[in-house]
Amino acid sequence: GGTVLPMKLVGDQAEQAVAGYLSRLGFELVYQSRGSKGAFDLLATRGPVQLGVQVKRSSLPLRFSKSEWQRMEADARRYGWEWTVASVEVDGKVTLLDPAKARRGAGHTLGASAAIENVLAWLDA
């Protein structure tokens, strides 16, 4: 697996769970993103790919206001990152979600149908 920086740098338990999950998938480095004061909590790198991750400690579905969603889209564009949302259940189960599969309405909702089965193949697509 990859390297996960000391937990005091990564943040809360949900962020730690996602960092460990991505590290086990082969991401070389997972750390609190430079945009952590912005839209994303973590930045994971794998080769040339940079993945911004918004971490939510919550069961599915996850709901975002339009402004929250626009901020994630804008930050990803600005930094040149791919991006995803991670749901961390109470039991520590991590699910990565595809933003392109969000249901749009008054806000944006990501449910189980947005789960990414294989994040590496998803990034390659």
Side-chain angles (χ1 to χ4, degrees), residues 107-118:
H108 293 75
T109 303
L110 289 165
S113 64
I116 300 169
E117 294 297 321
N118 181 331

Side-chain angles (χ1 to χ4, degrees), residues 25-99:
L25 289 176
F27 284 83
E28 289 95 18
L29 186 60
V30 180
Y31 59 95
Q32 193 170 26
S33 77
R34 63 183 170 183
S36 65
K37 300 233 188 282
F40 299 108
D41 299 306
L42 300 174
L43 173 64
T45 62
R46 186 169 190 274
V49 175
Q50 294 182 316
L51 179 67
V53 184
Q54 171 56 246
V55 178
K56 294 293 184 186
R57 184 188 309 221
S58 179
S59 300
L60 299 176
L62 301 178
R63 292 176 179 82
F64 297 87
S65 69
K66 283 188 178 182
S67 62
E68 288 174 305
W69 196 264
Q70 289 170 342
R71 186 174 185 197
M72 288 186 287
E73 289 176 325
D75 279 4
R77 249 188 327 273
R78 178 178 43 211
Y79 296 133
W81 297 349
E82 299 296 329
W83 69 284
T84 186
V85 175
S87 166
V88 181
E89 306 266 345
V90 173
D91 65 2
K93 179 185 175 205
V94 174
T95 304
L96 297 180
L97 304 162
D98 183 347

